[in-house]
């Protein structure tokens, strides 16, 4: 029996990717399930990263960008026209459907847009959580001062992204493994160093809470925010770090599943957030990649070689951004298949 057809929380039901070529004509893009969070952009041309979610209603076309501090805006061409059980409708508008552009959509399922109030923390959030307990979408209004929000996950959050929606401020990222303890943070929209500070209250997330500092980026009074939180769930989602060895026989990183998606970066300054997936190459080594903090077109070549394996991944390059000697590199990985169902590439 194919577990993808039987298990509601099987990885392919929860994270999936679609590709299409722009043609300027309204159409329906096939997906593997109904998405609640979409990251979308052209891979072969310079373009912003559009992020929409079903808490904010995808067909309302409210977007934020991972590569800038810009506040939330509305796609001007009604670019998302529908969201179905296994499809997304795209309009004829050129923003997301320009001829000659090859578009990629990375999609997460949560709770079908059905939200509830999580009042576990000092700041109430409107929230939906995926069936595995590994991923949640939360929107909230800042209260000012230090505080916390309930993340709704099945265990402590290991990767958190927060963006202010009605002000031009940075994306703030917590990644477990950036340091041995505490809560360093970095910005998704820049290549600045992971740093200490009050963004996440210098406190690692607990089994129920994400801690917030008193600042514009995560908890300013009168400001609206969205938070995307992830927790380690066996066979589906893993966040952590590895130490590079500057060898083409790179450090093996165990995830417990065959990856479909990896977002990573070296924690010091000057390196970008690098995104790899299992669809653009489709074989090992994988090296087609995009940088979520800029608009550059897709890069490729042996400099970026990574093997996607049945139970993890392994850099096959000496490039410092993926495998510098002694470099600490953090990552968020989503599964294609759990290890017990995984197949070789």
């Amino acid at each position: 029996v194919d577990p993808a057809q039987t298990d509601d929380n099987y990885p392919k039901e929860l994270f999936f990717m679609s590709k299409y070529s722009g043609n300027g004509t309204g159409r329906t893009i096939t997906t593997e399930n109904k998405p609640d969070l979409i990251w979308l952009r052209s891979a072969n041309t310079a373009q912003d990263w559009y992020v929409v979610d079903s808490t904010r209603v995808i067909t309302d076309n409210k977007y934020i960008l991972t590569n800038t501090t810009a506040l939330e805006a509305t796609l001007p061409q009604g670019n998302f026209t529908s969201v179905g059980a296994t499809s997304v409708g795209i309009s004829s508008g050129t923003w997301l459907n320009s001829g000659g552009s090859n578009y990629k959509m990375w999609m997460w399922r949560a709770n079908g847009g059905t939200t509830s109030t999580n009042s576990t923390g000092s700041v109430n959030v409107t929230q939906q959580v995926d069936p595995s307990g590994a991923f949640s979408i939360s929107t909230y209004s800042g209260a000012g001062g230090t505080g916390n929000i309930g993340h709704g996950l099945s265990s402590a959050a290991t990767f958190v992204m927060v963006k202010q929606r009605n002000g031009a401020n940075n994306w703030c990222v917590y990644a477990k493994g950036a340091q041995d303890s505490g809560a360093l943070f970095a910005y998704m929209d820049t290549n600045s160093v992971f740093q200490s500070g009050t963004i996440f209250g210098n406190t690692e997330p607990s089994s129920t809470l994400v801690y917030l500092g008193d600042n514009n980026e995560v908890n300013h009074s009168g400001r609206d925010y969205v938070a995307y939180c992830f927790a380690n769930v066996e066979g589906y989602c893993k966040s952590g770090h590895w130490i590079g060895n500057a060898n083409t026989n790179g450090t093996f990183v165990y995830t417990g599943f065959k990856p479909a998606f990896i977002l990573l970066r070296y924690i010091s300054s000057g390196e970008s957030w690098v995104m790899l997936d299992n669809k653009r190459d489709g074989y090992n080594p994988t090296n087609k990649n995009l940088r979520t903090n800029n608009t550059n077109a897709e890069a490729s070549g042996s400099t970026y070689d990574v093997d996607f394996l049945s139970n993890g991944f392994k850099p096959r390059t000496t490039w410092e951004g993926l495998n510098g000697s002694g470099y600490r590199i953090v990552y968020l990985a989503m599964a294609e298949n759990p290890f017990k169902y995984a197949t070789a590439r």
Side-chain angles (χ1 to χ4, degrees):
V1 176
D2 179 0
Q5 302 301 317
T6 60
D7 293 348
D8 190 51
N9 64 345
Y10 187 73
K12 286 186 177 180
E13 302 287 334
L14 299 174
F15 174 81
F16 37 96
M17 178 184 172
S18 293
K19 304 183 292 184
Y20 65 96
S21 297
N23 63 9
T25 301
R27 68 251 279 246
T28 299
I29 310 301
T30 299
T31 66
E32 295 182 39
N33 213 316
K34 184 178 181 181
D36 289 300
L37 171 63
I38 301 175
W39 288 17
L40 170 63
R41 64 154 293 175
S42 169
N44 65 320
T45 58
Q47 188 175 36
D48 290 316
W49 289 78
Y50 295 98
V51 178
V52 298
D53 64 65
S54 62
T55 296
R56 295 177 294 139
V57 186
I58 291 172
T59 52
D60 281 355
N61 287 285
K62 300 288 186 184
Y63 73 87
I64 43 181
L65 305 173
T66 69
N67 55 284
T68 79
T69 62
L71 68 166
E72 181 182 80
T74 303
L75 287 164
Q77 302 166 327
N79 298 82
F80 288 100
T81 58
S82 65
V83 180
T86 55
S87 66
V88 174
I90 302 292
S91 75
S92 59
T94 56
W95 280 44
L96 304 182
N97 197 11
S98 179
S101 290
N102 297 322
Y103 293 93
K104 319 297 177 185
M105 290 194 293
W106 299 268
M107 293 167 280
W108 287 260
R109 175 186 165 206
N111 195 30
T114 300
T115 62
S116 59
T117 300
N118 184 331
S119 55
T120 304
S122 62
V123 179
N124 289 347
V125 301
T126 298
Q127 187 171 83
Q128 53 174 317
V129 184
D130 86 340
S132 77
F135 164 61
S136 65
I137 303 170
S138 304
T139 55
Y140 63 96
S141 295
T146 58
N148 46 67
I149 58 173
H151 53 65
L153 305 174
S154 59
S155 60
T158 55
F159 197 90
V160 178
M161 298 179 284
V162 179
K163 177 69 174 77
Q164 187 184 135
R165 297 162 53 199
N166 57 345
N169 278 287
N170 298 100
W171 281 77
C172 298
V173 181
Y174 161 79
K176 185 176 180 62
Q179 67 183 105
D180 293 330
S181 63
L184 292 181
F185 73 93
Y187 295 128
M188 177 68 73
D189 47 282
T190 76
N191 61 0
S192 60
V193 64
F194 268 82
Q195 57 194 289
S196 61
T198 61
I199 294 292
F200 294 109
N202 278 321
T203 306
E204 291 183 283
S206 74
S207 60
T208 56
L209 300 172
V210 171
Y211 297 92
L212 306 174
D214 181 13
N215 50 68
N216 281 331
E217 277 116 337
V218 296
N219 195 32
H220 190 66
S221 179
R223 297 296 186 178
D224 296 329
Y225 299 89
V226 60
Y228 303 116
C229 300
F230 298 84
N232 290 350
V233 168
E234 184 177 0
Y236 171 51
C237 180
K238 182 71 181 294
S239 177
H241 79 283
W242 76 91
I243 304 298
N245 64 10
N247 192 301
T248 53
N249 183 21
T251 304
F252 169 67
V253 184
Y254 177 80
T255 60
F257 52 75
K258 182 178 181 179
F261 165 98
I262 304 170
L263 178 65
L264 61 93
R265 68 154 288 183
Y266 168 46
I267 66 169
S268 193
S269 61
E271 297 296 345
S272 296
W273 290 92
V274 178
M275 193 227 273
L276 301 159
D277 60 64
N278 64 338
K279 292 285 183 71
R280 283 177 289 157
D281 286 292
Y283 51 83
N284 282 328
T286 291
N287 58 46
K288 291 181 179 177
N289 66 89
L290 291 158
R291 314 301 173 90
T292 62
N293 54 283
N294 64 42
T295 62
N296 295 353
E298 181 178 78
S300 62
S302 60
T303 298
Y304 313 108
D305 281 354
V306 176
D307 280 351
F308 280 29
L309 307 171
S310 60
N311 59 350
F313 60 94
K314 177 187 277 284
R316 293 291 190 179
T317 174
T318 60
W319 177 53
E320 63 181 23
L322 283 174
N323 197 28
S325 179
Y327 283 24
R328 183 181 289 239
I329 301 165
V330 295
Y331 71 92
L332 169 68
M334 312 302 298
E336 177 183 354
N337 289 321
F339 185 28
K340 63 183 177 179
Y341 299 123
T343 55
R345 293 183 68 173

